[in-house]
Amino acid sequence: MINQLKAVFNRDIKLAFRQRAELLQPMMFFMLVISLFPLGVGPGPETLQKIGPGVIWVAAILSSLLGMERLFRDDFQDGSLEQLMLCGAPMPMVALVKVTVHWIASIFPLIVLSPLLALFLNLTVEMYWALLQTLLIGTPLLSLVGAIAVGLTVSLQKGGVLLALLLLPVFVPLLIFATAAVDAAALQLPYSAHLGLIGAMLLLACALAPAAIAYALRVSQN
């Protein structure tokens, strides 16, 4: 089973980095939104500092949605998804591996870019450190929860709009807790409780999402 999961991981990593245009699309969108936002609201340092965490998180959510649709799309279209279901490895584990690859290829680069983009929004060191922690804990949650909706809509033609309608309301609590943590850091207040709530949601998603993704994919295949 471990060898099969390693093969799935290596295959998906290679395919992800071969499709460079689709790989760069979320990164370019993320950079453009955050770079252009100060031009729209004005260059006032206090204003940018106040709205900066929310802007970065909203941009991260929207950028993740751009790359989410292709999570299972190509495998469904070429029949690889059906072969993965018959390979003998537990489908929840296969789904978890594919979600991990999606996070590494599509979302982790956004976290790497965040220090540079934080400069545009005049974030302090304390605010950025809190933001970085929320991104590291919260973005895997985006991939896990998003993969459930992708599994349900993978058989639909042009299901991207439906995918966004399904996921945006679900991500609202994460957005609230993440921005509240950064606001607390800006006021020199403890924010471990906010990180704990995000971490609890991530652990719950890790426990339940793989089985839900596998079930959604089976439903879409029928």
Side-chain angles (χ1 to χ4, degrees):
M1 183 187 72
I2 295 177
N3 290 334
Q4 291 173 326
L5 295 177
K6 284 182 179 179
V8 173
F9 180 88
N10 293 332
R11 169 185 174 273
D12 283 10
I13 281 287
K14 291 178 182 178
L15 289 176
F17 284 97
R18 284 177 184 173
Q19 300 169 345
R20 296 181 181 178
E22 292 190 354
L23 192 64
L24 290 174
Q25 187 178 6
M27 296 173 58
M28 296 301 298
F29 180 82
F30 185 70
M31 293 178 64
L32 286 173
V33 169
I34 297 177
S35 301
L36 295 176
F37 205 87
L39 301 177
V41 300
E46 294 183 358
T47 302
L48 292 177
Q49 191 177 91
K50 185 175 181 180
I51 65 175
V55 171
I56 292 178
W57 256 103
V58 169
I61 290 173
L62 296 177
S63 299
S64 68
L65 289 176
L66 286 178
M68 195 79 71
E69 188 181 2
R70 71 171 187 270
L71 184 56
F72 302 114
R73 181 194 61 197
D74 294 340
D75 290 337
F76 178 82
Q77 291 177 348
D78 63 15
S80 299
L81 186 59
E82 186 175 358
Q83 296 300 316
L84 288 173
M85 291 181 178
L86 300 174
C87 71
M91 195 58 198
M93 296 302 298
V94 173
L96 185 60
V97 168
K98 295 182 73 65
V99 169
T100 301
V101 172
H102 170 265
W103 184 83
I104 293 172
S106 298
I107 299 182
F108 183 72
L110 308 183
I111 301 176
V112 174
L113 289 173
S114 61
L116 175 63
L117 299 175
L119 297 176
F120 288 96
L121 302 174
N122 197 42
L123 299 188
T124 63
V125 175
E126 293 80 8
M127 293 177 69
Y128 172 68
W129 176 239
L131 176 67
L132 180 61
Q133 293 179 77
T134 60
L135 288 172
L136 287 172
I137 301 173
T139 50
L141 182 61
L142 296 179
S143 294
L144 286 167
V145 176
I148 301 173
V150 174
L152 291 171
T153 60
V154 70
S155 60
L156 302 178
Q157 295 292 333
K158 298 181 179 179
V161 176
L162 178 59
L163 184 64
L165 291 176
L166 289 173
L167 290 177
L168 286 176
V170 178
F171 292 152
V172 169
L174 174 60
L175 176 62
I176 292 172
F177 291 134
T179 53
V182 183
D183 290 340
L187 299 173
Q188 304 293 323
L189 296 174
Y191 52 88
S192 57
H194 303 87
L195 296 180
L197 287 170
I198 299 173
M201 290 191 292
L202 175 60
L203 291 176
L204 182 63
C206 288
L208 301 179
I213 297 167
Y215 178 77
L217 291 173
R218 292 190 184 97
V219 170
S220 297
Q221 284 288 98
N222 296 330

